[in-house]
Amino acid sequence: MRTLSISQARRVALAAQGFADPRPTGKVMLRHMRRVIDRVGVVQIDSVNIVARAHYLPFFARLGNYPMKLLDQMAWGEKRELIEYWAHVAALIPIEDWPLFRHRMETWEVFRSLTGYLEVHPGAMDEIRSRIRSEGAIRPAAIEKHHATGLGPWWEWSFAKSALEYLFFKGEVTIPNRINFARTYDLTERILPAEILNRSLAEPEQRRELLRKSLRHLGVATFADLTDYYRQANAPCRTIVEEMVADGEAIEVRVEGWKDNVYLDPSASIPRSIKGVAFLCPFDPVVWFRPRTERLFDFHYRIEIYTPAHKRVHGYYVLPVLIDDKICARVDLKNDRQNRRLLVRAAWAEPTADADTAPRLAELLRRTARWQGCDTVEVENKGTLSQQLAAAMT
């Protein structure tokens, strides 16, 4: 059985995620955006806007400065190429992948927050469906005026919001656009092309195709890595992965230091090197599964947004810094839009940092500032890398 060094595994993983691809030398076009989508497969959506909303950051990491409106066009424009669904978590996926989640749609149960209300008002859900069909895309507030429930909250959501989210999970409605990032909801049949909406695959084939995609996006992966990528249940996937190995769709290998079985994408490449520097947001596929992050990079990472300030170790919105094929630093970054400043609240060196870390990070910060329309970058004196970074910035 073939054995990969941890360095080789990192390069395979990063190449699979697009970090070995050449960056555009001119204007970023839709074809570049599509290449990133082909590499990552799923883009996690998050409302946190400390630097930029999380779904914009993986494209910047792989392409550099690009107009964020391109992603808006792909996801919520008239000629959409992406659609929202609960794929990893709330995420954007290519519209052609939507049928691969039918087994998930079919197994969603009614939210407990809806049960009591529907027992008293059994026709409420049908009324919502009818209103969307007759009125078109709708926001929860439009329904709330007609459904004062007194029902206990589900994540402090109203009945209308919970009902629309349930229909979204079931695939009956989708998100045609967002207004100030707030969702609108419309019937999926009015958004998806008929050939995609009507495409039918048996559940095992849906799961197998998702596992194929997971392996292609990861390059090299444990079983846990594979199932986490699209948040699949382990039990129904074990036999499928064995079948993939038997059919040559996955190659069993060893990775030095990894205890679990490891699978290699047959089409994966092992570049001699990975060159470049990038911020990885907390929801980038390279780091979103923290056990894999530790195995690949020997990097312990936890998001501290919800940690009380006095208990935070590294900062509020901390981004790992990928330099070539290693995570060499982490920075607590904030976009001060009102004053057009990019603030480095703290900068920390990792054991992999070397003499080039500060100057290369400084250049990345300058590029990030230009991308976000900031005039200056200010480095506060906090963290083991802050003084070197401040010097490199000047």
Side-chain angles (χ1 to χ4, degrees):
M1 184 181 294
R2 184 179 182 183
T3 298
L4 301 179
S5 69
I6 192 65
S7 175
Q8 288 175 315
R10 276 199 306 269
R11 282 179 273 137
V12 169
L14 290 170
Q17 282 284 309
F19 285 96
D21 297 338
R23 293 194 173 201
T25 55
K27 184 179 179 181
V28 174
M29 310 291 285
L30 278 173
R31 69 176 183 272
H32 301 117
M33 302 289 287
R34 292 179 184 123
R35 186 182 71 191
V36 174
I37 292 295
D38 183 64
R39 291 297 193 185
V40 302
V42 56
V43 180
Q44 185 169 334
I45 298 172
D46 192 85
S47 62
V48 175
N49 200 20
I50 305 302
V51 179
R53 296 199 193 277
H55 42 288
Y56 297 111
L57 286 164
F59 294 89
F60 179 67
R62 291 156 177 81
L63 298 174
N65 194 338
Y66 78 99
M68 292 186 288
K69 65 182 180 182
L70 285 181
L71 181 57
D72 296 339
Q73 177 183 334
M74 295 176 75
W76 301 290
E78 290 185 6
K79 297 181 179 179
R80 76 185 68 243
E81 300 178 32
L82 307 174
I83 193 167
E84 293 189 38
Y85 190 63
W86 207 258
H88 178 75
V89 291
L92 292 165
I93 56 172
I95 58 172
E96 58 268 22
D97 287 355
W98 187 87
L100 301 177
F101 297 92
R102 282 194 180 277
H103 65 280
R104 188 166 298 172
M105 300 169 191
E106 292 167 356
T107 55
W108 274 107
E109 298 180 356
V110 175
F111 300 144
R112 282 178 291 180
S113 62
L114 298 177
T115 304
Y117 187 84
L118 293 176
E119 288 176 353
V120 179
H121 304 279
M125 196 70 77
D126 287 336
E127 182 182 339
I128 289 175
R129 292 185 179 98
S130 177
R131 289 198 60 193
I132 297 173
R133 186 171 297 280
S134 62
E135 298 176 23
I138 201 167
R139 297 179 69 180
I143 301 175
E144 288 169 350
K145 296 175 183 177
H146 298 272
H147 287 287
T149 68
L151 184 69
W154 183 74
W155 289 357
E156 299 182 354
W157 287 357
S158 66
F159 164 78
K161 179 66 174 176
S162 294
L164 288 168
E165 282 299 290
Y166 171 69
L167 293 175
F168 170 66
F169 292 146
K170 295 292 287 184
E172 293 188 45
V173 304
T174 190
I175 316 300
N177 55 54
R178 287 175 175 263
I179 301 172
N180 296 326
F181 201 65
R183 288 170 165 177
T184 63
Y185 299 79
D186 201 353
L187 297 177
T188 306
E189 64 193 52
R190 289 204 285 235
I191 305 302
L192 281 178
E195 63 270 20
I196 292 174
L197 190 67
N198 298 328
R199 186 178 300 162
S200 179
L201 293 171
E203 178 180 340
E205 188 52 37
Q206 294 173 40
R207 291 188 178 278
R208 182 161 181 159
E209 182 58 24
L210 289 175
L211 288 166
R212 292 188 191 107
K213 287 178 174 290
S214 297
L215 186 56
R216 183 163 62 87
H217 300 317
L218 292 166
V220 61
T222 66
F223 179 77
D225 297 338
L226 289 174
T227 55
D228 173 79
Y229 206 84
Y230 288 103
R231 293 290 170 88
Q232 296 205 71
N234 287 341
C237 291
R238 292 193 183 279
T239 300
I240 297 175
V241 172
E242 292 173 1
E243 292 170 352
M244 289 172 60
V245 172
D247 294 341
E249 294 179 326
I251 301 170
E252 285 193 276
V253 296
R254 294 188 180 93
V255 173
E256 293 176 355
W258 291 15
K259 297 178 181 179
D260 297 327
N261 293 342
V262 183
Y263 305 94
L264 179 69
D265 174 17
S267 65
S269 63
I270 308 179
R272 292 185 178 181
S273 63
I274 299 287
K275 296 297 183 183
V277 55
F279 287 125
L280 301 175
C281 81
F283 312 111
D284 192 293
V286 173
V287 295
W288 68 19
F289 188 43
R290 309 303 193 225
R292 176 177 171 85
T293 306
E294 295 190 22
R295 274 185 273 112
L296 270 176
F297 298 99
D298 193 22
F299 180 76
H300 180 80
Y301 181 42
R302 295 293 182 271
I303 189 168
E304 297 182 85
I305 289 176
Y306 308 108
T307 302
H310 68 283
K311 293 185 178 181
R312 290 179 195 138
V313 177
H314 296 105
Y316 182 71
Y317 195 68
V318 175
L319 304 182
V321 182
L322 179 71
I323 298 182
D324 299 334
D325 68 342
K326 299 175 182 178
I327 295 177
C328 296
R330 62 182 98 198
V331 296
D332 183 10
L333 205 58
K334 178 179 173 61
N335 188 345
D336 178 8
R337 295 175 179 85
Q338 183 174 355
N339 297 301
R340 298 174 65 89
R341 301 181 302 169
L342 188 64
L343 303 178
V344 181
R345 312 305 298 267
W348 306 88
E350 291 298 306
T352 50
D354 58 23
D356 288 339
T357 297
R360 295 183 72 181
L361 174 54
E363 179 54 34
L364 174 60
L365 287 165
R366 295 185 190 100
R367 294 203 304 264
T368 306
R370 288 194 293 271
W371 177 50
Q372 286 297 302
C374 296
D375 297 325
T376 60
V377 179
E378 298 182 13
V379 181
E380 298 181 12
N381 187 22
K382 183 177 181 181
T384 55
L385 191 62
S386 60
Q387 292 186 4
Q388 288 176 265
L389 181 59
M393 291 299 305
T394 57

